[in-house]
């Protein structure tokens, strides 16, 4: 099999310092052209994936006898050297070589000579970057699942320690019905469980190998794309070469999962910000996760929670950014797509930090149980329990019970007492059938304990949720 680079005489092959695509060009690019074109400062982060892809490609080229075993060996050894250089910081990342792909290839040529020129047979930077980026995003998804699970474990541990700690449950941020702190935390375990599932789904869908699609149309060489797919841990090769080099929905899907997850983190972060205010005083964060003020000595600010809340903007911004880059692009590759990476890298860096900081905060936070319990009973939070009692014991239609209870709340408010302290005579004046028995349901403890429906806040149910998740995460 003739390699096209055989047709290039050695003196016409590009030399160091000269662009790898310079054959038909007689002048160097303008400085501004270079400034807008270079991506090495961003895509150098793909170096490991680039080497991984090149190793698989070179091995396949030798196995299919497109290049010789000797050339393959020289290439593999050169790539090993490059890896050492990158790891030790000795690798020369050069802007004149634009991106990571050409930096690696140019260095390879300096290290091993002519054989380096055979590595790019049956390959283009278009399928190369699509492959590198998929590998990176796939790893990022796996890493994120691990970080989500670590956060879930921190939430589980806290929930278990406070499965029966009373707190007000809110709607509209108004006291609604008592719940337990464990129940509240387990709500987030559910959310983060779905988030992890979204990353796993995205991974499954993206796990196809674009390498070998070449520039856009495939290759005339007898390449084996199944072989490179297997070596790179992909399920199969992508089925359409145009789609392979044009698709970035794998990154969009990962960013969507990241955005939803960051949204969940920001909700929990916001709750922590609220809970640690002196007005609420529901939880305390230690010095480890708070900062002071340079002017107001009394302050203890939940900066980490606020920053987790804010990182959401970067993650969601990256999703909007890449969606906008991709919209309206004709097939196949356009240079617009080079702008796909910076936002993804930043989004995953932000999400990682947010997940780790949140796991740290959750482990750190201590609920102030007495304060939360006191608040759990405030705001007539057991009014629904009174209405339910009237339905159950006196067979009132719920609407009527709701009305009687509303009147009871009004009376209690006028007297400045909670429902549990409203004298029996007052209640009987609203409905003669009310008995002493009603007070059993008017405490927040009783209210919580009674909610034994599946998924409800009764501590026995909360413990069952915790047990299920412990099993799932073990
Ligand atoms: N640096 C480019 C990117 O990230 C690699 C692909 C360039 N392909 C091309 N035909 N110019 O998208």
């Amino acid at each position: 099999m003739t390699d096209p680079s055989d047709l290039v005489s050695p003196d016409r092959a590009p030399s160091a310092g000269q662009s790898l695509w310079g054959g038909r060009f007689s002048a160097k690019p303008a400085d501004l052209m270079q400034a807008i074109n270079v991506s090495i400062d961003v895509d150098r982060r793909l170096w490991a994936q680039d080497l991984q892809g090149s190793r698989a490609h070179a091995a396949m080229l030798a196995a299919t006898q497109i290049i010789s075993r000797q050339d393959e060996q020289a290439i593999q050894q050169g790539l090993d050297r490059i890896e050492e250089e990158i790891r030790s910081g000795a690798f020369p990342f050069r802007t004149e070589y634009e991106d990571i792909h050409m930096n690696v290839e140019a260095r390879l040529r300096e290290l091993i000579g002519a054989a380096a020129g055979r590595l790019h047979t049956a390959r283009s930077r278009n399928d190369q970057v699509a492959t590198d980026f998929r590998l990176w995003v796939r790893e990022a998804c796996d890493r994120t699942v691990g970080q989500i699970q670590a956060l879930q474990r921190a939430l589980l541990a806290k929930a278990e320690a406070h499965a029966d700690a009373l707190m007000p449950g809110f709607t509209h941020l108004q006291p609604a019905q008592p719940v337990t702190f464990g129940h509240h935390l387990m709500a987030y375990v559910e959310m983060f469980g779905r988030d992890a599932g979204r990353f796993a789904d995205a991974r499954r869908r993206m796990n196809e190998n674009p390498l070998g699609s070449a520039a856009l149309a495939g290759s005339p060489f007898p390449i084996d794309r199944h072989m490179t797919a297997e070596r790179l841990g992909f399920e199969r090769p992508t089925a359409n070469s145009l789609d392979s080099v044009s698709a970035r929905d794998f990154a969009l899907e990962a960013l969507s999962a990241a955005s939803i997850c960051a949204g969940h983190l920001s909700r929990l972060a916001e709750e922590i910000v609220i809970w640690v205010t002196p007005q609420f005083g529901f939880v305390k964060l230690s010095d480890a996760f708070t900062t002071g003020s340079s002017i107001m000595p009394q302050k203890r600010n939940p900066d980490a929670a606020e920053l987790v809340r804010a990182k959401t903007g970067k993650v969601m911004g990256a999703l909007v950014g890449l969606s906008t880059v991709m919209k309206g692009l004709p097939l196949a590759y356009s240079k617009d797509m080079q702008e796909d990476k910076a936002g993804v890298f930043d989004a995953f860096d932000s999400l990682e930090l947010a997940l780790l900081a949140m796991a740290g905060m959750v482990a750190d936070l201590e609920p102030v149980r007495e304060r939360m319990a006191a608040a759990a009973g405030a705001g007539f939070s057991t009014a629904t329990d009174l209405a339910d009692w009237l339905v159950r014991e006196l067979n009132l239609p719920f609407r009527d019970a709701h009305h009687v209870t509303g009147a009871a709340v009004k009376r209690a408010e006028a007297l400045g007492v909670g429902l549990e302290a409203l004298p029996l005579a007052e209640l009987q004046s609203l409905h003669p059938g009310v008995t002493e028995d009603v007070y059993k349901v008017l405490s927040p403890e009783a209210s919580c304990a009674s909610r034994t429906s599946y998924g409800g806040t009764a501590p026995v149910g909360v413990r069952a949720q915790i047990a299920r998740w412990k099993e799932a995460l073990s």
Side-chain angles (χ1 to χ4, degrees):
M1 173 68 49
T2 318
D3 185 317
S5 61
D6 284 344
L7 304 173
V8 180
S9 63
D11 57 302
R12 302 225 349 258
S15 63
Q18 191 187 335
S19 152
L20 297 185
W21 42 254
R24 79 183 294 265
F25 288 76
S26 44
K28 283 196 5 184
D31 289 347
L32 279 174
M33 176 63 220
Q34 203 185 45
I36 197 169
N37 203 31
V38 291
S39 59
I40 185 63
D41 286 342
V42 172
D43 60 31
R44 57 188 287 170
R45 201 159 164 183
L46 294 176
W47 68 266
Q49 293 74 21
D50 199 69
L51 294 178
Q52 201 185 344
S54 287
R55 287 186 177 116
H57 187 65
M60 181 277 291
L61 290 177
T64 51
Q65 296 175 3
I66 297 169
I67 66 172
S68 69
R69 277 288 169 201
Q70 294 92 290
D71 282 344
E72 193 230 337
Q73 252 169 36
I75 290 169
Q76 300 291 9
Q77 283 162 8
L79 294 172
D80 290 347
R81 266 289 292 284
I82 288 174
E83 174 162 1
E84 283 164 31
E85 289 186 353
I86 294 175
R87 286 192 188 284
S88 72
F91 185 86
F93 288 101
R94 288 168 288 192
T95 49
E96 64 265 35
Y97 292 123
E98 269 182 58
D99 58 21
I100 184 64
H101 324 296
M102 294 207 289
N103 265 274
V104 167
E105 195 186 325
R107 184 70 187 138
L108 189 64
R109 198 177 57 239
E110 289 165 4
L111 292 172
I112 69 165
R118 298 190 190 278
L119 174 59
H120 213 51
T121 316
R123 183 178 85 170
S124 152
R125 275 189 296 155
N126 296 351
D127 60 337
Q128 201 180 349
V129 73
T131 306
D132 293 2
F133 197 29
R134 257 187 220 235
L135 290 171
W136 194 93
V137 174
R138 189 178 74 184
E139 283 168 38
C141 287
D142 292 346
R143 230 179 8 254
T144 306
V145 169
Q147 291 153 3
I148 290 175
Q149 289 174 345
L151 171 56
Q152 286 182 297
R153 288 196 185 92
L155 286 162
L156 269 176
K158 239 350 115 161
E160 189 165 35
H162 303 286
D164 55 5
L166 295 170
M167 75 177 279
F170 297 91
T171 62
H172 314 267
L173 200 54
Q174 303 285 329
Q177 293 173 345
V179 296
T180 76
F181 189 56
H183 193 54
H184 196 108
L185 295 180
M186 290 307 292
Y188 284 99
V189 172
E190 292 291 330
M191 286 178 237
F192 292 123
R194 291 192 296 278
D195 290 337
R198 267 182 282 273
F199 282 107
D201 289 346
R203 182 202 210 278
R204 216 170 1 247
R205 218 173 340 272
M206 82 178 68
N207 202 23
E208 296 184 341
N209 179 28
L211 194 60
S213 301
L216 74 164
S219 171
F221 293 94
I223 55 173
D224 186 342
R225 296 189 57 217
H226 294 271
M227 189 184 291
T228 44
E230 200 188 313
R231 253 193 89 135
L232 295 172
F234 287 117
E235 207 54 54
R236 62 188 82 83
T238 49
N240 180 300
S241 61
L242 290 169
D243 175 49
S244 308
V245 295
S246 311
R248 293 294 182 273
D249 52 276
F250 66 88
L252 288 172
E253 197 173 351
L255 285 175
S256 306
S259 294
I260 297 172
C261 180
H264 289 154
L265 283 167
S266 79
R267 295 182 77 171
L268 179 52
E270 168 69 3
E271 300 217 87
I272 292 174
V273 169
I274 293 172
W275 291 341
V276 299
T277 57
Q279 288 79 1
F280 268 76
F282 282 6
V283 308
K284 280 194 177 352
L285 282 173
S286 79
D287 294 354
F289 282 94
T290 48
T291 60
S293 156
S294 55
I295 177 166
M296 296 166 284
Q298 84 283 11
K299 294 273 270 183
R300 179 192 273 286
N301 297 327
D303 294 37
E306 295 164 78
L307 288 163
V308 166
R309 191 172 57 182
K311 296 276 182 208
T312 313
K314 287 162 60 105
V315 179
M316 293 183 175
L319 172 61
V320 175
L322 183 55
S323 302
T324 313
V325 166
M326 294 308 296
K327 77 163 280 298
L329 284 189
L331 300 188
Y333 179 85
S334 295
K335 200 60 175 264
D336 308 51
M337 291 163 72
Q338 179 165 281
E339 294 295 328
D340 57 357
K341 295 170 210 72
V344 170
F345 293 159
D346 184 59
F348 277 93
D349 288 346
S350 301
L351 185 62
E352 165 162 17
L353 201 49
L355 284 164
L356 296 176
M358 185 54 88
M361 263 187 293
V362 167
D364 184 78
L365 65 80
E366 270 314 316
V368 185
R369 291 177 64 129
E370 326 73 63
R371 231 184 124 88
M372 284 205 294
F380 311 105
S381 65
T382 56
T384 317
D385 297 277
L386 172 55
D388 288 344
W389 185 91
L390 294 169
V391 170
R392 225 174 24 243
E393 303 300 327
L394 305 184
N395 201 24
L396 257 61
F398 184 78
R399 271 297 146 235
D400 298 351
H402 186 282
H403 192 80
V404 170
T405 304
V409 167
K410 194 170 170 191
R411 194 67 198 123
E413 202 166 32
L415 294 173
V417 296
L419 279 178
E420 70 289 350
L422 193 61
L424 186 59
E426 294 283 350
L427 286 166
Q428 285 169 339
S429 74
L430 299 168
H431 194 289
V434 180
T435 67
E436 192 70 40
D437 181 65
V438 75
Y439 292 103
K440 283 191 208 143
V441 303
L442 294 184
S443 74
E445 289 86 352
S447 172
C448 272
S450 73
R451 292 193 151 64
T452 51
S453 57
Y454 187 85
T457 197
V460 53
V462 174
R463 292 204 175 86
Q465 292 179 51
I466 294 169
R468 277 197 302 278
W469 269 107
K470 270 186 150 174
E471 170 84 20
L473 287 172
S474 67

